[in-house]
Amino acid sequence: MSPRSPSVNEELRRRSRERILQATLELVDTRGYEATTLGDIAERAGTARGLISYYFPGKRQLLQSAVHRLMHLTLEEALEREPRTEDGRERLARAIDAILGLAAERPTLMRTHMAGILQAEGFVQCPEQQRLAFLLRDTVTRYGSEDVDTDYPLLRALLMGAVVAVLLPGAQMPLPRLRSELFHRYGLDWDAGMPPDGGPPDGTPVVRPPTGPSSTARSSAGRPSAGQSSKSK
């Protein structure tokens, strides 16, 4: 039997890594972080325990990579769903809804993920996180940002803060209100993206998409225009 080609080996490694990441999501989501061991993950993924250590330095880093992959795939699906669009405002609305939706749909997983980021290990720069970052940066660019290096981290921080607010035990904020605040900041219409049932919460301002050649500049970075209320800042 001839040896496998480098491309075949690379594909096998990719599939093995993805099985490990998927197994991590499934087990942590159902059992919790502390009750899930690396041995459990290896058994669920159908791989050797040592292979997990080869790919990931520890369980916390493994979980971050797994959640970043979930976020990347969810965001990618939202941005490319039918009807497909190149409109930057609609794509930003879809991105916000995708991330907030994960907080609502997978609370155990997302709460564990956010808690891990705030611990000593901090934020893991992994391939999955880089793919997620690429999609968010591209969304900010298409939205019309004139300073993506500033506006992308701001959007990331606002989304992380909103996710924490949805998940904070004993002090959760309702998702529609958080969505309303983010949409108002970025000048997005409530009906864009995937609006939740029940309509906008009371007090949600009516947003009309800007028109004219200066509209992109006015909306860049989500900075309110001169005519907007200071309450939105």
Side-chain angles (χ1 to χ4, degrees):
M1 180 182 296
S2 60
R4 292 193 295 258
S5 67
S7 62
V8 170
N9 286 330
E10 179 63 28
E11 177 63 15
L12 291 174
R13 284 192 292 268
R14 183 189 67 80
R15 292 181 183 180
S16 176
R17 196 174 191 275
E18 289 185 353
R19 287 199 306 272
I20 292 170
L21 293 171
Q22 183 61 33
T24 302
L25 290 180
E26 294 170 359
L27 290 173
V28 173
D29 206 15
T30 55
R31 300 182 184 178
Y33 179 76
E34 297 298 335
T36 299
T37 68
L38 293 179
D40 295 333
I41 294 171
E43 182 178 0
R44 174 68 67 91
T47 190
R49 163 67 177 78
L51 193 59
I52 296 180
S53 299
Y54 173 79
Y55 288 130
F56 305 97
K59 188 169 73 168
R60 183 65 67 181
Q61 292 83 353
L62 168 56
L63 177 62
Q64 279 203 42
S65 294
V67 175
H68 283 145
R69 176 174 178 266
L70 173 64
M71 295 173 71
H72 163 255
L73 294 176
T74 301
L75 178 57
E76 184 176 57
E77 180 181 2
L79 293 174
E80 299 305 320
R81 69 175 173 81
E82 298 294 340
R84 298 187 64 179
T85 180
E86 298 300 320
D87 179 74
R89 301 169 66 80
E90 171 64 20
R91 291 177 73 85
L92 180 57
R94 292 184 183 190
I96 293 172
D97 284 341
I99 301 304
L100 291 183
L102 275 177
E105 295 165 11
R106 311 288 288 272
T108 299
L109 197 61
M110 295 300 290
R111 188 179 290 117
T112 306
H113 173 63
M114 297 305 297
I117 289 177
L118 296 174
Q119 292 185 359
E121 293 89 346
F123 198 69
V124 174
Q125 300 287 340
C126 58
E128 288 73 26
Q129 187 275 328
Q130 291 169 0
R131 295 186 187 102
L132 174 63
F134 175 83
L135 283 183
L136 284 176
R137 285 181 64 92
D138 180 68
T139 300
V140 171
T141 299
R142 297 189 192 211
Y143 171 70
S145 169
E146 296 176 342
D147 185 2
V148 177
D149 289 337
T150 298
D151 297 337
Y152 156 65
L154 177 59
L155 174 62
R156 183 182 63 194
L158 290 170
L159 289 173
M160 290 175 67
V163 167
V164 170
V166 171
L167 299 173
L168 190 62
Q172 298 99 327
M173 285 192 65
L175 187 149
R177 172 55 63 188
L178 291 165
R179 182 185 192 267
S180 173
E181 292 297 323
L182 284 171
F183 271 43
H184 185 44
R185 179 183 184 90
Y186 285 100
L188 305 175
D189 187 84
W190 175 263
D191 291 330
M194 293 289 288
D197 295 335
D202 292 341
T204 296
V206 176
V207 176
R208 293 180 176 84
T211 58
S214 62
S215 62
T216 297
R218 287 203 305 272
S219 65
S220 177
R223 287 184 285 270
S225 62
Q228 287 180 325
S229 167
S230 60
K231 292 181 181 179
S232 66
K233 294 182 182 180

